[in-house]
Amino acid sequence: MSSAKKKTSAVRLVPCPACGQDSVYAPENRFRPFCSARCKGIDLGAWASEEFRMPTEAPPDDEPFGDPRLQS
């Protein structure tokens, strides 16, 4: 009997952030968490075009912004 046991690891599937299909989340998947190079590229393009933005409360256009000396 061998003391070394085979590691049996279940394949971890996660939804692809771009298309929603199953994607293998393991070092063997070089595109993880995406399912393919296409989905990874789509996501990168969305970041580059600033589609992913955090909502902020911007001051009205007629209000001074930034310099406290201009605010009275």
Side-chain angles (χ1 to χ4, degrees):
M1 200 174 193
S2 175
S3 62
K5 293 183 180 180
K6 267 190 175 179
K7 286 187 177 181
T8 56
S9 59
V11 175
R12 182 174 176 196
L13 295 176
V14 297
C16 175
C19 70
Q21 294 185 4
D22 287 342
S23 175
V24 176
Y25 194 81
E28 294 81 31
N29 179 5
R30 65 183 192 179
F31 308 113
R32 73 172 182 238
F34 303 98
C35 65
S36 65
R38 178 182 177 274
C39 285
K40 188 174 183 177
I42 289 170
D43 188 75
L44 178 62
W47 278 104
S49 65
E50 297 183 359
E51 288 180 32
F52 298 123
R53 297 172 134 189
M54 297 298 296
T56 62
E57 290 187 29
D61 290 336
D62 59 342
E63 291 292 318
F65 180 73
D67 191 351
R69 293 177 291 169
L70 299 176
Q71 299 173 4
S72 26

